[in-house]
Amino acid sequence: MAEIKENELPKPSVPELSVTLNRFLEGIKAIVSGDKYQEARTLVEEYQTSEEMQKLQQLLKEYAESHENYVTDFWLNDMYLKNPLPLPINSNPFFLLPKREFKTDDDRFRFIAKFIIFSLMFKQRVDSGELKQELSGGQRKGNALSMATYHHFFTAYRRPGATNDEHIFSEGGSRHIILICNNQLFALTIPGKIALPSEKALVEKLQITDTFSKLEPHFPPVGILTALNRKEWARIRERMIESKRSKAKIYYYADENNKESIQIIENCLFVVCMDESNEGVRKQTTSKSFSDGNLEKMAHHILHGNKSEHSTGNRWFDKFIQFIVTKNGVNGIVIEHSVSEGITVLRFCEEFLDFMKRDQPKRSSDDLLTVRRLSWDLDETVKEEIKNASVVTDALIDTLELNVFIFDKYGKGLPKKQKISPDVFIQLCLQLTYYRMHEKMTATYESAALRKFRFGRIDNIRASSQEALDFSKSMLDPSLSQAEKWDKFQKAVKKQTEILLYTINGEGPDNHLLCLKEMAALHGLQEPALYQTDYYKEYLNFRLSTSQLPTTYDIVVGYGPVVPDGYGCSYNPQENRIVFCISSFKNDPSTDSERFAQNLEVSLMELKELCESGKTAVSTSSPTKAVVKAEAK
């Protein structure tokens, strides 16, 4: 099935205000104090009929009528482009691909050449509309999905700004790739609009790049500036390209080298990072029994480059696709997340791995490829900024703890036998785990694809419901029977399934509330009091940021936490195992990725036992037995 046109997909509709406000109340009930909840409830009751909120709702409906998708631009700005945090760790996720074995440098260059050829072929399919149309699975199987972000894979670039970042899109004629080797940047130009270079010709240019990267002039690692806070990077970028007065003070001149080099990077198709080996870089200070040490070490390298002394300066984090290959075979992709979702990049990775298994037709070598080193004019101030950026980024990397936890006692087959969505099952496991560790619930983010809608992106499937809290409490209460726990679990499953379904149907409260707030700003109206309340801020304080990224391939996907005292947790439910990547920051004593993995295993095993006992559990428990259990505690 060929790609359908975007305008053939339905536009999202604006949910009813009363429904959204009630869902907001449900979303905070388990995560704020009773007093705060009562405050919120009073305000929501007032908002149900208030002229202020009704006006914003009407303005939003009018806006939705005149736009292809009323949510996406507001969501994109709020989620990404207004966020000044550094891209590595805080935003950009990694995709760790299976390790390769390179006996020679040319083996590595041939592997990179194959990736370049595959990417050009993938781009041709995107441009021609020949990319196979994706359809939804799971709870709403068979819906055609938006393919819009695939068209941004090779054109989009996130340019830093003083107030907020912006997306810029290169023109269709762009046919060059940025190669980074030994912190030096090169532009590899591929002539023609659709011509595919030969592997042999590409290898020759990669050999030249590797050689030239060791020669003078050897510029400082300019790429590490893209790892800074976005406002800092925007300020330095402006300094690098601004006009300056000549020494004679007669005329002004621009740093043309800087301006041209940055422009070339902004308009490239993608970035290839040719790194040194990752061996011996990270020393594990503590023994971890719940993390695959080799995968963890490789994941660190792909995510951030292992600090400035190694390969973090061998990056350009603003570009959507960075393909990273080390001399010892570690390889993968880091994406700039605002451009597209992880699931689309996962497809790209899977197709690349399939491509590597096939015999490729031989193409005659050509000498039309060109490679040139990018030059920089860096004054002492900018050189000092690069040194400072290295220190700041190294410190950020030092704080990150990753844990690649492969749970192999069972997989998605178990919840499917119970007729429970594996995603719902795992989300409730995560809620139980967080509660077990912290004795409270927290706002949880799980990305929900809205791609059934025209230009649809993401909303949040909330998992920290009152039902999830009741279930989590019951699992830690020895006075309750398995039957009572099973009953609480069933109620939590029902609620989580309900939340999942209404969110993927475009009826989640998060995006709607955001858009109402944006309507006030757009029309110069006063922002409703709700948005400044403690409980609304807690509603958006995602100490648990999660994402399901299913694949049968040996690809590990992960990302950092989104708040200082939080966890990032991606998961891949396979038939007989579940692969988790858990992240946290070491400098917050309340979080610990290894301990989270340990408790997660306990939760998973307890849920298995509960499911097995649920079939035969008696529906009510003996009050006497419950009292005995309570006293025994």
Side-chain angles (χ1 to χ4, degrees):
M1 180 180 174
E3 182 183 332
I4 69 165
K5 292 180 180 176
E6 203 68 20
N7 62 11
E8 294 177 44
L9 295 172
K11 291 167 66 170
S13 57
V14 179
E16 288 300 315
L17 179 62
S18 60
V19 172
T20 286
L21 290 172
N22 284 329
R23 285 173 178 167
F24 164 70
L25 274 182
E26 287 185 344
I28 66 166
K29 189 173 184 181
I31 62 173
V32 301
S33 68
D35 289 348
K36 290 295 179 186
Y37 177 73
Q38 288 306 321
E39 272 184 44
R41 191 172 174 179
T42 301
L43 186 62
V44 162
E45 285 175 2
E46 178 191 323
Y47 277 1
Q48 296 282 10
T49 55
S50 76
E51 187 178 328
E52 175 188 31
M53 295 303 285
Q54 296 298 332
K55 183 173 184 179
L56 293 178
Q57 175 76 348
Q58 184 56 38
L59 288 170
L60 184 56
K61 285 183 175 180
E62 291 168 6
Y63 184 91
E65 281 291 317
S66 60
H67 287 76
E68 298 276 32
N69 186 310
Y70 76 92
V71 177
T72 295
D73 286 345
F74 291 134
W75 169 85
L76 182 63
N77 274 293
D78 183 72
M79 178 68 78
Y80 293 110
L81 301 183
K82 288 181 181 177
N83 189 339
L85 289 175
L87 297 185
I89 297 176
N90 296 296
S91 181
N92 291 5
F94 72 85
F95 298 75
L96 174 65
L97 303 182
K99 190 176 180 185
R100 314 291 297 189
E101 184 178 343
F102 303 136
K103 293 180 179 175
T104 66
D105 276 348
D106 280 0
D107 283 348
R108 179 169 57 118
F109 297 146
R110 277 190 285 272
F111 179 63
I112 295 170
K114 285 183 170 71
F115 177 82
I116 293 171
I117 293 166
F118 162 77
S119 299
L120 293 172
M121 292 171 68
F122 193 92
K123 183 179 185 300
Q124 285 179 3
R125 287 160 59 208
V126 170
D127 292 346
S128 63
E130 293 173 7
L131 203 60
K132 185 180 177 183
Q133 175 64 45
E134 289 182 339
L135 302 173
S136 60
Q139 298 282 346
R140 285 289 181 266
K141 201 167 184 178
N143 285 313
L145 300 176
S146 170
M147 305 287 280
T149 59
Y150 282 109
H151 293 266
H152 299 159
F153 268 36
F154 304 101
T155 61
Y157 181 91
R158 180 169 168 177
R159 180 186 285 169
T163 54
N164 60 276
D165 291 2
E166 63 175 322
H167 277 163
I168 61 167
F169 298 93
S170 56
E171 297 177 5
S174 170
R175 288 278 285 180
H176 65 274
I177 295 155
I178 295 299
L179 307 174
I180 314 183
C181 188
N182 292 311
N183 298 333
Q184 309 302 295
L185 288 94
F186 298 79
L188 171 67
T189 301
I190 299 152
K193 290 185 178 179
I194 59 171
L196 292 172
S198 69
E199 186 179 307
K200 183 173 183 291
L202 283 168
V203 167
E204 288 172 0
K205 296 305 179 188
L206 293 169
Q207 288 169 334
I208 290 169
T209 300
D210 186 53
T211 301
F212 280 17
S213 71
K214 299 164 188 169
L215 303 178
E216 296 292 337
H218 209 268
F219 300 106
V222 179
I224 205 161
L225 295 172
T226 66
L228 282 172
N229 174 287
R230 303 304 291 168
K231 292 180 181 179
E232 283 293 292
W233 167 217
R235 176 184 61 78
I236 298 165
R237 179 186 176 280
E238 283 304 306
R239 180 182 176 86
M240 289 172 68
I241 65 175
E242 71 183 355
S243 297
K244 297 177 183 177
R245 206 167 204 179
S246 71
K247 289 182 180 177
K249 299 183 180 179
I250 299 170
Y251 62 90
Y252 286 87
Y253 70 98
D255 280 335
E256 293 300 335
N257 277 340
N258 297 343
K259 188 177 286 186
E260 183 188 20
S261 292
I262 288 175
Q263 187 175 38
I264 289 169
I265 297 165
E266 289 181 345
N267 287 291
C268 75
L269 296 176
F270 53 90
V271 175
V272 173
C273 307
M274 299 158 63
D275 286 359
E276 293 296 314
S277 163
N278 79 320
E279 292 297 333
V281 178
R282 289 192 73 84
K283 293 187 173 95
Q284 194 128 312
T285 53
T286 57
S287 174
K288 292 185 180 180
S289 55
F290 283 83
S291 186
D292 184 307
N294 288 330
L295 289 175
E296 180 189 320
K297 187 176 176 183
M298 293 188 286
H300 270 289
H301 187 89
I302 299 300
L303 180 59
H304 51 65
N306 278 324
K307 302 173 67 171
S308 59
E309 66 194 51
H310 200 268
S311 298
T312 306
N314 216 52
R315 299 283 186 275
W316 199 274
F317 290 102
D318 296 356
K319 187 60 187 171
F320 178 58
I321 292 176
Q322 291 185 95
F323 182 59
I324 297 148
V325 185
T326 71
K327 288 184 176 179
N328 65 321
V330 177
N331 69 101
I333 288 173
V334 167
I335 63 163
E336 194 291 292
H337 208 353
S338 68
V339 174
S340 191
E341 277 59 67
I343 202 74
T344 59
V345 181
L346 203 51
R347 173 182 176 176
F348 178 76
C349 293
E350 289 172 345
E351 293 198 14
F352 170 59
L353 295 179
D354 287 340
F355 176 85
M356 288 299 298
K357 294 174 186 173
R358 298 196 299 264
D359 290 330
Q360 298 303 317
K362 299 292 182 188
R363 297 178 187 85
S364 59
S365 182
D366 57 74
D367 58 0
L368 299 177
L369 300 179
T370 59
V371 63
R372 58 170 284 203
R373 180 198 287 257
L374 302 187
S375 295
W376 305 96
D377 293 318
L378 306 173
D379 60 27
E380 289 307 313
T381 302
V382 173
K383 288 178 182 176
E384 196 61 33
E385 298 277 17
I386 291 172
K387 289 180 184 175
N388 291 338
S390 299
V391 173
V392 169
T393 306
D394 289 351
L396 174 62
I397 291 168
D398 276 337
T399 68
L400 179 68
E401 183 185 9
L402 279 182
N403 187 299
V404 181
F405 170 44
I406 301 174
F407 177 77
D408 58 5
K409 307 296 190 298
Y410 62 87
K412 64 182 178 180
L414 185 141
K416 284 166 78 175
K417 281 181 184 175
Q418 303 289 327
K419 295 185 168 48
I420 299 171
S421 155
D423 185 65
V424 166
F425 184 92
I426 293 170
Q427 280 295 325
L428 290 174
C429 266
L430 293 173
Q431 294 302 306
L432 173 57
T433 301
Y434 191 91
Y435 184 80
R436 187 190 303 279
M437 292 179 68
H438 300 280
E439 298 183 333
K440 63 180 181 180
M441 303 293 269
T442 190
T444 302
Y445 190 94
E446 184 198 357
S447 50
L450 298 180
R451 290 173 60 208
K452 64 180 280 187
F453 299 108
R454 196 178 306 178
F455 298 107
R457 293 290 300 272
I458 291 291
D459 201 351
N460 175 25
I461 303 170
R462 288 189 167 266
S464 47
S465 64
Q466 182 63 43
E467 289 82 354
L469 176 57
D470 293 343
F471 152 68
S472 298
K473 283 181 175 178
S474 77
M475 293 297 287
L476 301 182
D477 185 349
S479 72
L480 297 182
S481 69
Q482 288 292 83
E484 289 169 308
K485 293 176 181 180
W486 177 252
D487 182 57
K488 301 277 189 191
F489 178 57
Q490 290 290 83
K491 287 176 180 173
V493 166
K494 183 179 178 183
K495 188 62 183 180
Q496 189 59 24
T497 304
E498 175 196 322
I499 294 168
L500 185 154
L501 289 175
Y502 71 58
T503 306
I504 63 176
N505 283 324
E507 297 164 7
D510 288 40
N511 282 352
H512 188 192
L513 288 170
L514 169 66
C515 291
L516 290 170
K517 178 184 174 184
E518 293 295 338
M519 284 299 105
L522 194 64
H523 292 275
L525 301 173
Q526 186 173 359
E527 183 178 279
L530 169 69
Y531 298 102
Q532 293 304 317
T533 61
D534 293 341
Y535 46 84
Y536 185 76
K537 289 172 184 174
E538 190 59 31
Y539 183 71
L540 299 180
N541 188 19
F542 299 114
R543 293 189 188 89
L544 197 50
S545 176
T546 71
S547 186
Q548 178 183 217
L549 290 151
T551 177
T552 57
Y553 294 72
D554 289 328
I555 302 171
V556 177
V557 188
Y559 45 83
V562 298
V563 295
D565 59 344
Y567 294 97
C569 184
S570 63
Y571 52 94
N572 173 16
Q574 298 179 334
E575 201 58 42
N576 296 304
R577 67 176 193 167
I578 309 170
V579 181
F580 295 91
C581 183
I582 303 159
S583 64
S584 61
F585 290 119
K586 295 175 188 172
N587 52 353
D588 192 291
S590 68
T591 58
D592 185 320
S593 297
E594 172 78 357
R595 199 159 62 88
F596 193 95
Q598 183 179 0
N599 281 281
L600 180 56
E601 182 176 65
V602 174
S603 298
L604 287 160
M605 293 307 295
E606 284 185 353
L607 262 192
K608 177 178 184 289
E609 184 183 337
L610 186 65
C611 286
E612 289 170 348
S613 69
K615 299 172 189 174
T616 56
V618 183
S619 60
T620 58
S621 63
S622 162
T624 308
K625 190 175 181 183
V627 171
V628 170
K629 283 190 175 181
E631 289 173 348
K633 184 181 176 184

